[in-house]
Amino acid sequence: MVATALALGVTVAVLAAMTALGVAHSRTRMLSVEDYISARNSADTGTTAATLIASGMGAWILFSPAEAGAGFGGLAAVGGYAIGSAVPLVLFISVGVRLREYLPQGHSLTEYVYGRYGAWMYGYALLIAVFYMFISLAAGMTAAADALAFVADVPPWITAAIIGGFVLVYTGYGGLVASIFTDTVQTLVILPLLTLSFAAVVVGLGGTGAIHQAIASANPHLLDLGFVPGLAFGGYVVIAITGSSVFNQGRWQRVFAAADDTSLRRGFAIAAVVTVPMIMLAGLLGVSAAGLGLMGDAGPSVALFVAIAAALPEWATLGVVVLVVLLVTSTTDTLFNGIASIVTADLSRVLDDPDERTLQYAARALTVVVAIAAIAVGAQGYSVLELFLLADLLGAATFIPFLHGLYSGRATERGVLLASVAGLVVGLAYFPTFHGALVGLPVVGSLLPGGSFIHSFAGAAGVSALLSLLAARLSDGRFDLDSLAAEVHSLDDTAGPVTDGGQPANDGMESQGVER
């Protein structure tokens, strides 16, 4: 085990470097409100791919895929997780182009849903988006806290507080511009470090041939691509990740940040291709830890770290500490900025001509509150996979009706809202985490089916999709999708430039820019 003080020193050094880079880059530009929350049309193909990889490949990659391989179905489960992580990126190639076409000045998913459907669906989607981003923040903090506690016995609350504090500094100062820049730097470090770490562990465990032979002898089901529990896990993870990703504001921001449609298509495609082998490698180490009998009393969520501890010398785990810190900061800054951007974009519409100070304080206040709550939850050590599944169910029940209105003018607010709620009810009826409590309810409890994740997620998505399509068929109305552009305007229409990493420009007139 690495010395606690050494691990903390490395953690602080990495975070300080990222913070300095983010702040320094922001100081080189005159930043408007638009830069802070959308960085519109600024990211070429490489930058788009890099920021998607870094913001999407958080510290959870060191926990959830390995946990899937060790505890939920071996190779088949890992394959499903890899595919599930790539599908949303492929989906956003089509969705993103349409968003840019119909909302050329868009900033957030809530602007789309308010303009397309109305206030009720807006409120429902806002609840899902904020809840998902909060759970993602908490899961990232949990992953980092678990990693450093396992590697160096660092108290979880210290890890969560240090990471949250540093990331708040540079995202509050530089907004999305700082986030995208640090994402690019992090990707250039994360990918080779991740690859080298995996390669070193495989060599340390005896090589691929020895690992395969040992697993095939002791636990052959872990290598069986037709293993039914693994296939079931893979199936519902595809639905779960796709559904929740639609409500990740960080993805929407990067759609508008892409330089043009070509950069969007290529950037999202590259990110999808890169994601699959990274997930597979992480998951295979979990399969190795379980198949080689290394787990002992450890839970499946730390399977990858069990393999690392068995394969690498103590000093080499410092590289893992660096990797964990980079991975969690790359997603945390995205989520902090995503929450702030929703607040800023929505307040500019809801309030009557809000001034700079109102937008600034509201965005920062909510971001800090959510960050503190995420740090508190992250210090508790809950299962990362279970945290994500809880948020994923809401997304799975809603994402098809939610996106239906982007492709069909016949989709209505009442139809998609009822479809989404009905899908959620079906999903909850099967959801194993709540099943024990639900079956105890009078009258209804005895009628509920047995708990099953695959039935929960497939049922939620399937029922909501069918009801949304049925409601659209029965609708006589036609929504003009071209009218969406008039619902959303550039925040720079009423806001002045922001300089020096977020300090309002002072040219003798009151600035309407937002410092974030």
Side-chain angles (χ1 to χ4, degrees):
M1 179 174 290
V2 177
T4 301
L6 180 59
L8 281 174
V10 171
T11 299
V12 170
V14 173
L15 288 169
M18 286 297 105
T19 301
L21 286 171
V23 171
H25 180 71
S26 302
R27 289 178 65 89
T28 64
R29 298 184 54 174
M30 177 177 287
L31 301 180
S32 67
V33 182
E34 286 287 316
D35 291 320
Y36 266 79
I37 69 173
S38 72
R40 191 178 312 281
N41 300 333
S42 64
D44 59 17
T45 296
T47 301
T48 299
T51 189
L52 286 168
I53 292 168
S55 63
M57 194 179 293
W60 61 268
I61 193 178
L62 303 179
F63 286 85
S64 298
E67 184 176 2
F72 288 86
L75 199 56
V78 173
Y81 211 117
I83 294 171
S85 298
V87 166
L89 292 165
V90 175
L91 174 66
F92 261 91
I93 294 174
S94 171
V95 171
V97 170
R98 291 186 74 86
L99 283 171
R100 290 170 64 95
E101 176 185 355
Y102 292 122
L103 283 88
Q105 299 297 325
H107 311 89
S108 71
L109 61 92
T110 53
E111 289 177 327
Y112 154 71
V113 72
Y114 188 89
R116 176 60 183 86
Y117 292 123
W120 285 100
M121 191 62 189
Y122 158 80
Y124 186 67
L126 178 64
L127 175 66
I128 295 175
V130 173
F131 181 66
Y132 168 74
M133 286 189 285
F134 169 74
I135 291 296
S136 295
L137 274 170
M141 296 294 184
T142 298
D146 285 352
L148 267 69
F150 186 86
V151 171
D153 201 25
V154 178
W157 70 269
I158 292 180
T159 300
I162 290 175
I163 291 174
F166 271 103
V167 175
L168 269 175
V169 170
Y170 74 80
T171 53
Y173 190 88
L176 187 61
V177 169
S179 178
I180 289 178
F181 177 73
T182 54
D183 282 347
T184 303
V185 176
Q186 288 157 355
T187 299
L188 295 175
V189 179
I190 286 171
L191 290 182
L193 188 57
L194 201 58
T195 303
L196 288 173
S197 298
F198 292 151
V201 172
V202 170
V203 172
L205 292 176
T208 55
I211 294 172
H212 182 275
Q213 184 177 359
I215 297 174
S217 300
N219 296 284
H221 70 277
L222 293 175
L223 302 176
D224 183 6
L225 289 174
F227 185 51
V228 174
L231 291 175
F233 175 89
Y236 74 72
V237 164
V238 170
I239 300 171
I241 297 177
T242 302
S244 62
S245 292
V246 170
F247 294 93
N248 182 349
Q249 170 65 5
R251 291 276 167 85
W252 290 65
Q253 286 180 295
R254 282 149 181 81
V255 164
F256 297 117
D260 49 38
D261 290 351
T262 299
S263 297
L264 185 150
R265 292 189 182 96
R266 292 176 178 173
F268 274 81
I270 291 170
V273 171
V274 171
T275 294
V276 172
M278 293 295 102
I279 299 292
M280 289 298 298
L281 287 172
L284 287 173
L285 291 188
V287 173
S288 300
L292 296 174
L294 303 176
M295 295 302 297
D297 296 330
S301 64
V302 293
L304 184 141
F305 293 92
V306 170
I308 289 172
L312 300 180
E314 186 175 295
W315 62 267
T317 56
L318 278 177
V320 178
V321 171
V322 174
L323 185 58
V324 168
V325 174
L326 288 173
L327 285 167
V328 75
T329 55
S330 65
T331 52
T332 301
D333 62 16
T334 295
L335 294 165
F336 281 174
N337 192 261
I339 292 170
S341 72
I342 285 181
V343 174
T344 304
D346 286 358
L347 283 181
S348 68
R349 181 192 67 245
V350 175
L351 299 183
D352 183 18
D353 193 23
D355 60 18
E356 172 195 351
R357 191 173 298 274
T358 300
L359 292 174
Q360 171 188 347
Y361 284 167
R364 281 183 167 173
L366 180 60
T367 303
V368 171
V369 168
V370 173
I372 292 173
I375 290 169
V377 174
Q380 305 307 310
Y382 299 130
S383 167
V384 175
L385 197 57
E386 288 183 5
L387 284 172
F388 272 120
L389 289 174
L390 185 61
D392 289 347
L393 181 62
L394 279 169
T398 311
F399 82 99
I400 296 178
F402 180 79
L403 293 178
H404 186 198
L406 192 61
Y407 293 86
S408 171
R410 301 185 67 168
T412 65
E413 179 179 36
R414 179 179 298 179
V416 299
L417 188 57
L418 289 176
S420 300
V421 173
L424 181 60
V425 169
V426 171
L428 288 173
Y430 285 101
F431 199 65
T433 304
F434 302 134
H435 195 261
L438 292 175
V439 294
L441 294 175
V443 182
V444 179
S446 60
L447 302 177
L448 293 176
S452 164
F453 280 123
I454 183 62
H455 291 146
S456 176
F457 283 95
V463 168
S464 65
L466 288 174
L467 290 180
S468 180
L469 291 171
L470 179 61
R473 292 281 295 180
L474 297 176
S475 171
D476 294 327
R478 293 289 188 278
F479 182 86
D480 181 11
L481 291 173
D482 290 326
S483 69
L484 281 173
E487 299 290 329
V488 180
H489 60 81
S490 169
L491 297 180
D492 287 346
D493 292 343
T494 57
V498 180
T499 60
D500 193 22
Q503 300 301 320
N506 187 356
D507 58 357
M509 301 177 64
E510 182 181 359
S511 170
Q512 295 299 310
V514 174
E515 178 188 357
R516 292 257 312 286

